[in-house]
Amino acid sequence: MLIIGILGAFALNNWNEERKARNQLNNTLLEVYENLNADIEILARAIEDADTLIFRLQYLEDHGLEIPMDTLVELITRMHRVTEWSPITIGYDKLTNSQGGNRLPKELNYDISSAYNVFLQTTNQNSAQDLSLYSLNNYRSYLIDLGFPLNQYKYGVRSPKNKEIVITAMEDIRFIGIIRNFQYSIGGQREGYRWSKNRIEDICKKLERYFAEKNIYFSK
C-alpha cells in the first residue's frame, strides 16, 4: 500500500511538472507569435519607406531640372535617412534558453530556429543596411561639399540660399551616379525585407495551425 502511494505521488508530481512545462512552452510560443506579428508590421512600414525613397530618387533622376525649383530643392533635401530592422527576439530567446523547442514538432522547431538564425546573422552582418548607409553618406557628403547647409539635426541638408548649386548638382554626372547607387542600395535592402516578411508570415501560419491543433487560444 505504501509503495502504491509513493508511485501515485510520483506519477502526480510528473504530471504536474509536465503540465507546468507545457503551459510554459505555450506561453513562450504565444510570445514568439506576438513578436513575429510585430516584426511583420515593422517590415511592412520599412518596405513602404523604401518604396517611397526609391520613387523619389527615380523621379529625381528622370525629371531633374524639369521639376520646379522649390519642389526640386525639397525633393533633394528630404533624402536624409534609410530604413533599419532588427528582429524582436524576446520570445525566441526564452524558447532557446528553456530548450522548449525540443518539445515541438521537428519541422516547426526547425522553421522557427532556422529563420531566426538567418535574421540574426543578416542583422549582425548588416551588409544591405551598411550599403544603404554608405550610399546615403555619399549623397549627403556630395551636397555638403557643394554648399548645401546641414540641418539642425546634422543628419541631412537644408535648402541652400544659392539655388545655382542645385542646377550644378543636377547637371553633374557624378551626382546622377550617386542617385543611381542610392536606388540600388535601397532596392537590395527592400528585397531583403520582403523575403524576411514572407518568411515570418509563413511561420505565423504554421504556429496558428499548431495552436489550433493544441486548442491554444491566440489573438491575431
Side-chain angles (χ1 to χ4, degrees):
M1 202 68 180
L2 178 61
I3 295 175
I4 293 174
I6 293 173
L7 291 175
F10 182 74
L12 179 61
N13 183 64
N14 284 346
W15 182 84
N16 284 332
E17 289 297 321
E18 174 65 23
R19 184 169 62 88
K20 182 180 178 181
R22 187 169 59 249
N23 289 338
Q24 182 180 4
L25 173 61
N26 292 346
N27 290 333
T28 301
L29 284 176
L30 287 169
E31 190 164 8
V32 170
Y33 180 73
E34 290 174 2
N35 292 167
L36 290 171
N37 275 292
D39 278 325
I40 289 173
E41 293 181 10
I42 294 169
L43 284 167
R45 289 195 296 270
I47 292 167
E48 287 181 6
D49 288 345
D51 285 340
T52 299
L53 184 53
I54 290 170
F55 173 81
R56 289 174 179 168
L57 289 165
Q58 187 65 59
Y59 189 84
L60 187 61
E61 179 186 352
D62 290 345
H63 299 281
L65 293 174
E66 299 172 5
I67 305 170
M69 180 57 70
D70 288 345
T71 304
L72 179 58
V73 171
E74 181 184 1
L75 193 58
I76 290 174
T77 56
R78 289 185 69 182
M79 318 285 189
H80 56 71
R81 68 183 183 88
V82 296
T83 57
E84 299 179 40
W85 172 69
S86 295
I88 303 171
T89 62
I90 300 171
Y92 178 68
D93 289 340
K94 291 180 181 178
L95 185 66
T96 54
N97 291 336
S98 66
Q99 297 185 338
N102 295 332
R103 302 172 63 86
L104 292 174
K106 288 184 178 180
E107 182 179 353
L108 180 59
N109 183 37
Y110 173 79
D111 286 337
I112 294 173
S113 59
S114 62
Y116 271 101
N117 285 338
V118 172
F119 298 153
L120 293 171
Q121 182 180 14
T122 303
T123 302
N124 289 335
Q125 290 176 345
N126 277 333
S127 54
Q129 182 176 305
D130 283 349
L131 187 58
S132 293
L133 287 171
Y134 177 79
S135 297
L136 172 61
N137 286 333
N138 276 349
Y139 178 91
R140 182 174 54 188
S141 295
Y142 174 89
L143 294 174
I144 292 171
D145 290 343
L146 202 60
F148 280 72
L150 276 171
N151 66 18
Q152 59 179 329
Y153 303 108
K154 296 185 179 180
Y155 56 67
V157 295
R158 292 185 287 110
S159 172
K161 292 181 179 179
N162 178 12
K163 297 299 190 291
E164 289 297 320
I165 64 175
V166 177
I167 297 173
T168 300
M170 296 311 304
E171 290 180 340
D172 188 352
I173 193 170
R174 290 182 302 152
F175 186 55
I176 302 303
I178 288 171
I179 291 172
R180 289 175 181 169
N181 285 335
F182 202 178
Q183 287 183 67
Y184 175 80
S185 301
I186 298 298
Q189 196 174 11
R190 179 183 59 182
E191 290 310 303
Y193 288 160
R194 284 174 175 168
W195 181 90
S196 296
K197 182 173 177 286
N198 290 338
R199 184 79 182 269
I200 291 172
E201 288 172 340
D202 181 61
I203 295 172
C204 283
K205 290 177 183 177
K206 291 179 179 179
L207 279 171
E208 288 168 6
R209 287 197 293 269
Y210 178 83
F211 293 152
E213 291 171 3
K214 301 296 182 181
N215 293 318
I216 301 171
Y217 174 78
F218 67 96
S219 177
K220 289 188 177 182

